[in-house]
Amino acid sequence: MAKLPIVTIGDPVLQTRAQEVPRITKKIAKLIDDMIETMYEADGIGLAAPQVGVGQRIIVADLGEGPVVLVNPVIQSAQGEEIDVEGCLSIPERWVYVKRAAEVEVSGLNEKGKQVRLKAEGYFARALQHEIDHLDGILMLDRSLGEATPEELDDAGEEGE
Ligand code: NI
């Protein structure tokens, strides 16, 4: 695995809709491994491929229960609303309040190309929505309800997404 450079705000890849992944090739599998490594190295809880300069629909996340990989993720259902603080590895030193669905059900492919469907709530649901937004060229600042301080981050201690 290799750590990849993280693209920061201002780079057009972050505001471009990413492409569907037709199949999990060796190259894609390597990219997924590298994205996980990069997320851990950066102390992040989530990362989307555009954040490493790759315009493909891949996200990874880990909220303390091991890495979750979703290729071509689609939000199948969403319920409730929650406002909480987010950070983003591509927008250093900024934290903002964002309203997200409280619970989501997301489908996609896992790193082996198998179709999966998972339910998430709380900060995991938030992280998935944040990462899927990246695939559509949407940043947390586009949804910001106001600036926050790092102390206002959720008590789970999230660093960035
Ligand atoms: Ni982000």
Side-chain angles (χ1 to χ4, degrees):
M1 293 204 276
K3 182 177 179 281
L4 304 169
I6 294 176
V7 169
T8 53
I9 188 164
D11 190 308
V13 73
L14 292 176
Q15 287 170 294
T16 304
R17 188 184 152 83
Q19 302 292 309
E20 296 272 326
V21 176
R23 66 191 185 90
I24 312 289
T25 58
K26 277 187 183 172
K27 193 177 166 190
I28 293 289
K30 166 92 165 70
L31 171 64
I32 290 169
D33 281 349
D34 290 348
M35 284 174 61
I36 292 169
E37 168 98 2
T38 303
M39 172 177 70
Y40 289 148
E41 287 279 335
D43 282 331
I45 58 166
L47 191 71
Q51 293 184 274
V52 292
V54 178
Q56 303 230 51
R57 303 186 77 80
I58 304 167
I59 64 171
V60 299
D62 188 341
L63 282 96
E65 296 185 1
V68 172
V69 174
L70 285 170
V71 175
N72 302 334
V74 175
I75 296 175
Q76 297 291 349
S77 67
Q79 286 181 334
E81 281 181 356
E82 267 176 15
I83 296 172
D84 208 339
V85 177
E86 300 182 7
C88 181
L89 295 174
S90 295
I91 310 172
E93 304 302 312
R94 296 280 298 277
W95 299 271
V96 294
Y97 286 94
V98 179
K99 181 160 72 179
R100 301 281 188 190
E103 294 175 34
V104 290
E105 194 167 354
V106 182
S107 66
L109 302 177
N110 69 10
E111 66 278 12
K112 291 173 181 150
K114 181 171 178 274
Q115 188 73 40
V116 293
R117 196 174 175 106
L118 60 89
K119 284 184 180 172
E121 57 180 25
Y123 218 89
F124 184 31
R126 175 169 298 273
L128 293 178
Q129 291 169 84
H130 176 118
E131 301 316 332
I132 291 170
D133 264 358
H134 274 300
L135 304 181
D136 293 326
I138 298 167
L139 298 174
M140 66 176 191
L141 299 184
D142 299 324
R143 298 193 187 276
S144 173
L145 300 176
E147 298 280 333
T149 65
E151 291 73 30
E152 291 172 284
L153 265 181
D154 185 79
D155 56 8
E158 294 81 13
E159 294 278 333
E161 300 164 58

